[in-house]
Amino acid sequence: MSRKLRNIAIIAHVDHGKTTLVDELLKQSGTLEGRKEVSERVMDSNDLEKERGITILAKNTAITYGDTHINIVDTPGHADFGGEVERILNMVDGVLLLVDAREGPMPQTKFVTSKALALGLKPIVVVNKIDREGSDPDAVVDATFDLFASLGATDDQLDFPVVYASAKNGYAMLNLGEESDNLTCLFDTIIDYVHAPEGDADAPLQMLATTLDWDDFIGRIVVGRVANGHIKTGQDITVVHADASEENFRITKILGFEGLNRVEISEAVAGDIIAVAGIETINIGETIADRDNPVALPVIHVDEPTLTMEIHVNSSPLAGTEGKFITTRQIRDRLMKEIRTNVAMRVEETGSADIYKVSGRGELHIGILLENMRREGFEMAVSRPTVIVREIDGKKQEPYESVTVDVDAEYQGTVIEKLGKRGAEMTHMQANPDGTTRIEFTCPTRGLIGYTSEFLTDTRGTGVLHHLFHEYGPYIGKLPGRTNGVLISMENGESVAFALWKLQERGKMFIGANEKLYEGMIIGIHSRDNDLVVNPIKGKKLTNVRASGKDDSIDLVTPIQLTLERAIEFIEDDELVEITPKSIRLRKRLLLEHERKRATRPE
């Protein structure tokens, strides 16, 4: 049976317009006509995704163009979510590589593209934002060709079609200068260039679990592509686990994709991307197989984590005042639920019942989990991230990152010097058309922890920095850490404006007046390199003697706003970030000063 079906993934760097393009494809194919209200960036369903303008979780949608059904998978653009990317590419037969007409292919594009080319997928290059000022589509196409060649693309993959588009304005063309007011040529290119899915509908059933989801009404949902055979509601199947053990289940529901909705269907065949319910125990990468002839598909390999952090039960004096979930059991259950669907993350128990080790692909990967937990009502404390050091052939090896920065010429010297001190080596430098300079480095992951906020300060907020895992390389020993000490509260209570005003000359504050404090909490950055214990709740002494002059007016400088990522980057090994639904606080691990002094004394 020949069916008109295409399965494609969209790959793009953060903010190159991928989700906007999917919106337009949905609208112009007529798939969204039945919906009265269509929000912008409909594919970014998660609040965090909408706020940050990034895609974190892979999404499935489908459009019908003419008589062809096109399944579209929106992939994360950030390397920290590579665990999502690798699974998704196993479901599709072609990729749309979306590239900004001004910025060209970027580091994260390189990461996902290398995965797609290695799987033998053929790319269609879409040069987006051609209406943007300073765009140079021809140069971008050349740079994309060079990128493919450097990633070892085959001759067939290098012979890629190019579509020029403005997703925001809803038009595309095959040649620059043509008149166009729609995306028809992009639809046609997908149908002509991406081959129909392979697979034998008459063979025994095989389907790889690619994404797991949960529904309160129908339970666990497994999303994947039917590789061979067919599957029906009520069918008895066998799950072949990664350790080759087998378990039998019955399919209770099959859902297909139409637009943004899941639509119940009775049957699916080889090539279809579907969601099935009725399977209670299955992990990502395991196979749903025929009951009479259960044969497993190859298990998907996902890159190992490179960073690890400790998550502690919140033990501060303010614990339990702002969150709903604060116990060890609640935190453990939430972490275990996360690793059921987040395949690139690991959770380990430690020697202490109150501490869990969470490992992931980068700061953003773990940071998104912490932000989600915080919004769900959890309270916890987290440690500084540390890199996972491996021993290879008897030698210590640590993860290195490829770093790309775009900076104004006046700041490039500072950036090169600062990264050099952190163990980075410059590999490439070139001038951008917009007058900035692009510099590429290879840097130990350790050297980048805590650098982002410093980079933004050094470049007055104008610099752009991207980094992604490169490879494991030789361990380079101690690297410089934070240059300033911190101001630590010596009392429990509420901060007083007069006391903070007096302390301002000692450094920069993280807190304002009338905020709850406790002993051992970090309230600011010291202007010197040592930690200083201070009293931020000391009020002004009142006497019955009238002052001859006017009192000094209390003029407080606006405190530094701490985001979760900035707080995690800032702390040192003897400090923690306390995270609650309402607050982000910094504290010392040991809250009492005499305990900290004892801990620093030589044995």
Side-chain angles (χ1 to χ4, degrees):
M1 179 178 73
S2 173
R3 293 163 62 250
K4 295 200 171 178
L5 175 67
R6 300 290 184 272
N7 295 327
I8 59 165
I10 296 193
I11 296 173
H13 183 74
V14 176
D15 200 32
H16 276 200
K18 169 182 46 177
T19 312
T20 309
L21 180 68
V22 175
D23 288 0
E24 277 301 317
L25 289 170
L26 285 163
K27 286 174 193 166
Q28 292 197 24
S29 66
T31 310
L32 288 180
E33 276 175 5
R35 288 166 63 104
K36 289 197 173 101
E37 288 177 36
V38 178
S39 67
E40 276 190 45
R41 292 188 291 126
V42 283
M43 290 290 275
D44 285 344
S45 54
N46 174 321
D47 285 343
L48 267 179
E49 296 182 315
K50 281 204 162 82
E51 283 168 30
R52 296 173 184 231
I54 59 173
T55 302
I56 296 166
L57 303 167
K59 312 287 191 319
N60 294 57
T61 185
I63 56 179
T64 302
Y65 178 71
D67 58 354
T68 304
H69 190 73
I70 304 172
N71 284 309
I72 300 175
V73 190
D74 187 15
T75 63
H78 200 286
D80 280 8
F81 308 108
E84 290 274 327
V85 171
E86 289 158 52
R87 306 197 313 264
I88 293 317
L89 293 177
N90 278 277
M91 290 203 294
V92 298
D93 303 295
V95 292
L96 286 187
L97 175 61
L98 192 65
V99 186
D100 187 300
R102 189 169 88 172
E103 294 182 1
M106 295 287 277
Q108 268 79 339
T109 317
K110 183 176 175 180
F111 166 79
V112 190
T113 306
S114 66
K115 300 280 181 195
L117 294 175
L119 287 167
L121 298 174
K122 291 167 74 173
I124 296 169
V125 174
V126 181
V127 180
N128 191 27
K129 304 188 185 181
I130 56 171
D131 55 327
R132 189 177 169 194
E133 195 180 326
S135 66
D136 189 352
D138 291 334
V140 166
V141 172
D142 291 344
T144 307
F145 183 91
D146 293 343
L147 171 68
F148 286 178
S150 69
L151 294 174
T154 63
D155 290 346
D156 201 23
Q157 288 171 325
L158 288 172
D159 185 21
F160 54 83
V162 180
V163 178
Y164 302 95
S166 170
K168 193 174 178 185
N169 297 311
Y171 66 80
M173 60 192 74
L174 294 177
N175 297 298
L176 286 169
E178 287 179 355
E179 289 292 317
S180 173
D181 61 359
N182 57 48
L183 296 173
T184 303
C185 68
L186 179 54
F187 286 115
D188 291 339
T189 305
I190 292 169
I191 291 167
D192 295 342
Y193 196 74
V194 178
H195 64 77
E198 294 169 359
D200 183 354
D202 299 322
L205 171 67
Q206 285 181 305
M207 173 178 159
L208 202 64
T210 309
T211 310
L212 298 181
D213 205 346
W214 180 265
D215 184 285
D216 289 339
F217 295 104
I218 58 176
R220 172 157 292 184
I221 296 171
V222 185
V223 180
R225 168 175 158 177
V226 183
N228 288 303
H230 58 270
I231 187 167
K232 293 179 179 175
T233 307
Q235 183 174 335
D236 292 323
I237 55 94
T238 297
V239 171
V240 184
H241 294 294
D243 60 1
S245 64
E246 296 177 2
E247 243 181 308
N248 295 331
F249 297 100
R250 175 169 288 178
I251 301 297
T252 56
K253 199 171 259 195
I254 302 176
L255 303 167
F257 295 94
E258 185 60 51
L260 299 168
N261 303 319
R262 288 177 177 166
V263 189
E264 191 167 345
I265 55 177
S266 59
E267 184 179 7
V269 298
D272 284 329
I273 294 177
I274 55 166
V276 298
I279 299 171
E280 289 165 34
T281 52
I282 188 170
N283 287 319
I284 285 164
E286 296 178 343
T287 304
I288 298 168
D290 186 74
R291 173 71 63 90
D292 300 326
N293 187 9
V295 179
L297 290 162
V299 175
I300 303 170
H301 168 73
V302 174
D303 286 353
E304 291 296 309
T306 57
L307 271 187
T308 186
M309 285 167 81
E310 290 175 359
I311 294 186
H312 297 234
V313 171
N314 190 9
S315 60
S316 90
L318 298 177
T321 57
E322 296 177 356
K324 288 188 294 186
F325 307 116
I326 55 175
T327 65
T328 313
R329 184 184 58 78
Q330 287 167 331
I331 291 173
R332 182 185 184 279
D333 289 349
R334 176 63 181 84
L335 293 175
M336 293 306 161
K337 179 184 164 195
E338 182 69 20
I339 56 173
R340 287 208 299 265
T341 56
N342 194 336
V343 73
M345 194 168 273
R346 307 270 185 279
V347 174
E348 298 166 57
E349 297 188 10
T350 64
S352 166
D354 294 344
I355 302 175
Y356 295 93
K357 260 174 94 170
V358 177
S359 306
R361 291 288 288 270
E363 284 175 79
L364 186 62
H365 189 202
I366 302 175
I368 292 292
L369 165 66
L370 299 176
E371 183 64 46
N372 279 330
M373 288 176 68
R374 179 186 174 208
R375 291 179 184 211
E376 290 162 19
F378 282 86
E379 273 192 26
M380 64 216 137
V382 299
S383 71
R384 183 172 194 248
T386 54
V387 300
I388 297 172
V389 178
R390 295 180 185 169
E391 194 153 304
I392 300 170
D393 300 331
K395 292 179 182 171
K396 273 171 89 176
Q397 302 238 309
E398 65 176 317
Y400 279 69
E401 311 244 337
S402 296
V403 184
T404 304
V405 298
D406 289 313
V407 290
D408 292 335
E410 62 191 288
Y411 305 126
Q412 66 189 44
T414 310
V415 171
I416 292 168
E417 181 192 351
K418 290 273 180 82
L419 278 170
K421 285 179 180 171
R422 290 167 170 267
E425 281 186 22
M426 189 165 73
T427 55
H428 185 65
M429 187 170 173
Q430 71 180 57
N432 289 334
D434 59 3
T436 59
T437 306
R438 177 169 294 178
I439 316 168
E440 294 177 11
F441 301 88
T442 305
C443 180
T445 304
R446 274 187 309 143
L448 292 171
I449 294 172
Y451 178 63
T452 307
S453 51
E454 197 177 318
F455 171 78
L456 290 172
T457 305
D458 290 344
T459 61
R460 306 288 186 272
T462 61
V464 180
L465 180 145
H466 296 291
H467 55 91
L468 99 138
F469 176 69
H470 177 55
E471 62 182 2
Y472 268 80
Y475 187 81
I476 61 169
K478 197 167 176 4
L479 289 171
R482 192 174 68 205
T483 51
N484 292 69
V486 289
L487 301 174
I488 307 164
S489 171
M490 65 165 66
E491 297 279 355
N492 299 327
E494 282 197 5
S495 56
V496 174
F498 178 76
L500 296 180
W501 178 61
K502 287 288 189 188
L503 289 172
Q504 280 180 169
E505 62 198 43
R506 300 292 187 125
K508 297 174 185 169
M509 294 295 158
F510 290 138
I511 61 161
N514 305 319
E515 290 192 27
K516 290 179 181 173
L517 308 176
Y518 51 83
E519 184 179 356
M521 181 170 152
I522 296 168
I523 63 162
I525 307 172
H526 192 197
S527 54
R528 301 190 178 179
D529 61 0
N530 62 308
D531 291 348
L532 186 67
V533 179
V534 296
N535 186 350
I537 67 170
K538 183 180 178 185
K540 184 179 180 183
K541 278 201 169 69
L542 299 176
T543 68
N544 60 0
V545 179
R546 183 174 291 175
S548 58
K550 184 173 74 70
D551 280 353
D552 291 326
S553 62
I554 293 175
D555 186 17
L556 290 181
V557 177
T558 306
I560 297 169
Q561 290 297 314
L562 280 175
T563 61
L564 182 58
E565 274 96 353
R566 191 165 182 185
I568 290 168
E569 283 191 337
F570 177 79
I571 57 173
E572 287 290 344
D573 293 338
D574 65 335
E575 297 161 358
L576 297 171
V577 179
E578 180 188 346
I579 302 169
T580 77
K582 295 180 184 172
S583 313
I584 292 172
R585 304 184 184 98
L586 305 183
R587 53 164 284 190
K588 288 289 183 182
R589 281 182 188 248
L590 301 172
L591 295 177
L592 305 180
E593 188 181 4
H594 68 86
E595 289 180 352
R596 293 196 296 274
K597 281 183 174 169
R598 191 185 308 144
T600 54
R601 253 183 240 141
E603 291 296 325

